Amino acid sequence: MSLRFQKQHKYPSQQGAALMVMLVIMVIGTAAFLVSALSKVPATLQNDQKTLVSLTQAKEALLAYAASQGDITGTGRPGDLPCPDTNTPGTANDGIEAGSCVAGAIGRLPWRTLGIPELLDADGEPLWYAISGDFRRDSLNGNPINSDLTGTLNVYGSDGTTLLTNASDMAAAIVFAPGKIVGSQLRSSSTDKTNKSNYLDSYTFPSPISVTLNNATTNGPFLSAEKTDTFNDKLIFIKASQLRPAIETRVARELAKLFNSYYLSWNSFPFAVQFTDPSNATFIGNTNTTYGLPPYENMLGGTNTPTWSAAPTISFSNGGSGSTCTLRNASNSSCTGSNCVGARCTLSNLQAGSTLQITGTLNSIGLGFWRLYDPTVGASNSSCTQEVCARNSSNSTYYAASNLLDNVSITGSLNSTGNATITFRGTVRSNIIPNRIQFNTGGIPAFTLPSWFNANNWQELLYYATSAGYAPGGNHSCAPSCLMLDNHAASAVLIATSGSLDFPNNPHPSGTLSDYLESNNASPALGIFKNKPASNSFNDKAISIAP
């Protein structure tokens, strides 16, 4: 009885133990499954993050490259993007852009050309890259690159119908992370590794869409979608609107440098050009106009040249008499009237230690970007091609004035009409007695814009304002009031107007200021200018010009 009882008692205990073991096994198995699953989630996220980091680094490198292009001599231009790399991986030219490329060309990211390390995705594959035809260098693409350029590459979202780009803001470049091999792709041989179809995928959308999008198609359209068994490309693209701020800032700063150099010459900023349709503007400044277009006519190949209002006067200390100045035209002949662009002073009775001062007035300096004469430049010759020359009385050779005289200086100041008073000073040396000082008959020199500026129509996309105190004839201070930029006082302001916000309805060029400037900036008479985050209603980029 007790034995039977014990058997009956042990059986349920053994059964429960078995169930507990089975339960533990199940829990352990489930836990193992969960741990395995959970461990894969961070790994996937880490891979995605690594790929995103590489794509973002590539994007930033392309933006920096575009902003840095273009020099004063005309090699390149801001906004140029490199061609893709089509060289064989592992060779000496690996990572260097191709010498030429068609619109929408696709190849590997030219990391050496960009000046960065080779970037790989999470699967260890090199990044690929497509370029909009309009952003190729000027030898391959004659279209201007400026704020009005919109890009040409389209990208669709994962449904195959939603455009992630639009007509007014297409992509200038696309960078791809190709991921692992899918389908029949091959990546073993050198030939395999230069074939874009072995890295970039296509996807066919079923009915009713019934369209195939292939990321290996030159000029696209391209697809950004979730990973599948046959598609695992990741991509990042640069819209034209994302590229503009970097190149606009670069262009504005280049022009700001010239404004600052102008101020160093004249102790004032120039007058502005009253706003009109920039495509028809003369770009010659208007007296007493402190906001409008920059007055860069003379840097754009214009013919407006300042003339001397009268023959300069000359005075001496420590010897010198009987000296006179006359005006000269572009042919170096004596002249009177409105075509006298040069001046000559004949010197007499000078002696060592004599100090001479020549003073004259040049008209309209405040209406353009004219540079003060430099008396140190120019090689010796027989025809006075230097900016300011001095002739040696002993051999009739012309030299840069500072080569024959000591303590040479030239200063300039502007009056309220924009005319400039020029003052030349120098001291006669003991061993050389000059008998002539001449201001070049080619006219006063102009500042120089980079050749890419006019070639890409940037003159139509910049706006300028100066406070009255820093305009010609001003008191060289903000009094009676400064301009304000982002709640800070500014002597002068330069604005890159960016592309039309209402494209294609109100494209540039336009004679309406509000088609270029937004918010406070469209009311320049108030003297209050703003920067704001770029949006569908604002895209101005303003910078301060400080003397």
Side-chain angles (χ1 to χ4, degrees):
M1 182 75 177
S2 63
L3 181 61
R4 193 166 46 246
F5 173 81
Q6 288 177 358
K7 287 183 179 180
Q8 290 176 347
H9 178 73
K10 286 181 178 180
Y11 181 77
S13 175
Q14 291 172 347
Q15 187 179 41
L19 289 172
M20 286 295 294
V21 170
M22 292 180 63
L23 180 59
V24 168
I25 292 172
M26 292 177 62
V27 169
I28 292 173
T30 303
F33 173 81
L34 291 173
V35 168
S36 175
L38 289 173
S39 67
K40 290 180 181 178
V41 172
T44 301
L45 291 176
Q46 288 174 11
N47 286 345
D48 288 347
Q49 182 65 25
K50 181 178 180 180
T51 295
L52 179 59
V53 167
S54 290
L55 290 171
T56 302
Q57 288 176 335
K59 179 177 179 177
E60 294 301 320
L62 287 166
L63 290 171
Y65 179 93
S68 69
Q69 296 306 290
D71 58 28
I72 194 70
T73 64
T75 303
R77 54 185 171 171
D80 280 347
L81 290 171
C83 283
D85 170 20
T86 56
N87 298 296
T88 302
T91 61
N93 291 328
D94 184 13
I96 298 176
E97 68 168 319
S100 180
C101 55
V102 299
I106 302 170
R108 289 181 311 284
L109 184 74
W111 51 276
R112 289 188 196 273
T113 299
L114 295 173
I116 59 173
E118 183 174 23
L119 298 174
L120 307 176
D121 65 16
D123 295 301
E125 297 291 354
L127 302 185
W128 286 65
Y129 157 68
I131 180 174
S132 167
D134 285 349
F135 286 89
R136 293 172 296 162
R137 58 181 175 270
D138 53 2
S139 61
L140 302 174
N141 160 42
N143 295 326
I145 292 181
N146 58 39
S147 298
D148 284 330
L149 202 57
T150 60
T152 58
L153 304 179
N154 271 324
V155 180
Y156 282 90
S158 57
D159 61 2
T161 60
T162 301
L163 270 174
L164 305 180
T165 51
N166 57 64
S168 64
D169 197 17
M170 290 188 275
I174 302 172
V175 182
F176 304 88
K180 295 179 179 179
I181 288 176
V182 296
S184 60
Q185 291 175 340
L186 300 172
R187 300 178 185 176
S188 299
S189 69
S190 297
T191 302
D192 294 340
K193 292 178 180 180
T194 57
N195 184 344
K196 57 190 175 181
S197 295
N198 283 328
Y199 290 84
L200 304 181
D201 310 329
S202 65
Y203 185 81
T204 300
F205 290 88
S207 180
I209 300 175
S210 301
V211 65
T212 297
L213 294 175
N214 187 346
N215 284 344
T217 301
T218 299
N219 235 18
F222 302 96
L223 175 64
S224 177
E226 294 300 318
K227 180 179 179 180
T228 69
D229 291 339
T230 59
F231 183 94
N232 64 359
D233 294 346
K234 298 283 185 182
L235 65 81
I236 194 169
F237 53 88
I238 302 174
K239 288 184 177 182
S241 62
Q242 295 171 320
L243 189 58
R244 287 178 198 140
I247 61 176
E248 286 166 350
T249 298
R250 162 72 191 289
V251 172
R253 294 199 184 284
E254 290 287 343
L255 188 57
K257 291 177 186 176
L258 295 181
F259 274 103
N260 285 327
S261 296
Y262 185 97
Y263 190 91
L264 290 175
S265 284
W266 308 108
N267 208 28
S268 298
F269 292 121
F271 287 122
V273 181
Q274 188 172 11
F275 180 80
T276 187
D277 182 336
S279 65
N280 297 321
T282 64
F283 294 111
I284 299 172
N286 301 111
T287 301
N288 297 323
T289 299
T290 56
Y291 50 85
L293 302 171
Y296 28 44
E297 181 265 357
N298 60 306
M299 297 191 294
L300 300 175
T303 58
N304 183 49
T305 303
T307 58
W308 293 83
S309 61
T313 60
I314 185 168
S315 61
F316 300 92
S317 61
N318 300 323
S321 63
S323 300
T324 58
C325 297
T326 59
L327 297 180
R328 316 294 290 182
N329 61 22
S331 300
N332 201 16
S333 301
S334 180
C335 68
T336 59
S338 60
N339 64 340
C340 300
V341 293
R344 173 188 291 178
C345 296
T346 302
L347 310 176
S348 303
N349 303 316
L350 293 182
Q351 59 188 25
S354 295
T355 298
L356 60 133
Q357 176 174 302
I358 301 171
T359 303
T361 299
L362 273 170
N363 300 318
S364 304
I365 295 295
L367 308 185
F369 273 90
W370 304 103
R371 176 173 61 76
L372 195 59
Y373 294 103
D374 185 345
T376 68
V377 299
S380 60
N381 56 50
S382 60
S383 57
C384 188
T385 58
Q386 302 86 356
E387 293 185 14
V388 181
C389 67
R391 190 174 72 173
N392 188 338
S393 57
S394 66
N395 61 18
S396 298
T397 300
Y398 288 96
Y399 299 84
S402 63
N403 288 342
L404 290 192
L405 297 166
D406 289 330
N407 306 317
V408 170
S409 67
I410 297 184
T411 58
S413 61
L414 301 182
N415 65 22
S416 60
T417 64
N419 294 339
T421 298
I422 306 290
T423 303
F424 172 93
R425 295 182 179 88
T427 302
V428 178
R429 296 174 180 175
S430 60
N431 59 335
I432 302 176
I433 306 296
N435 63 2
R436 181 178 293 174
I437 301 290
Q438 182 163 316
F439 296 89
N440 195 290
T441 54
I444 191 168
F447 286 103
T448 303
L449 281 167
S451 61
W452 49 257
F453 189 93
N454 186 26
N456 290 278
N457 296 334
W458 281 108
Q459 71 275 12
E460 298 182 10
L461 296 162
L462 292 158
Y463 194 86
Y464 158 67
T466 180
S467 59
Y470 284 95
N475 59 6
H476 318 301
S477 73
C478 280
S481 62
C482 269
L483 301 180
M484 299 298 293
L485 174 59
D486 298 330
N487 300 319
H488 296 285
S491 307
V493 170
L494 189 62
I495 305 175
T497 62
S498 202
S500 171
L501 289 171
D502 195 22
F503 182 88
N505 297 323
N506 290 305
H508 295 160
S510 166
T512 302
L513 185 59
S514 59
D515 286 340
Y516 291 87
L517 302 177
E518 294 85 52
S519 186
N520 295 60
N521 300 342
S523 301
L526 299 176
I528 301 173
F529 300 93
K530 295 284 187 182
N531 281 303
K532 295 180 180 179
S535 67
N536 292 332
S537 60
F538 189 95
N539 63 1
D540 296 343
K541 181 64 178 178
I543 65 171
S544 175
I545 309 173

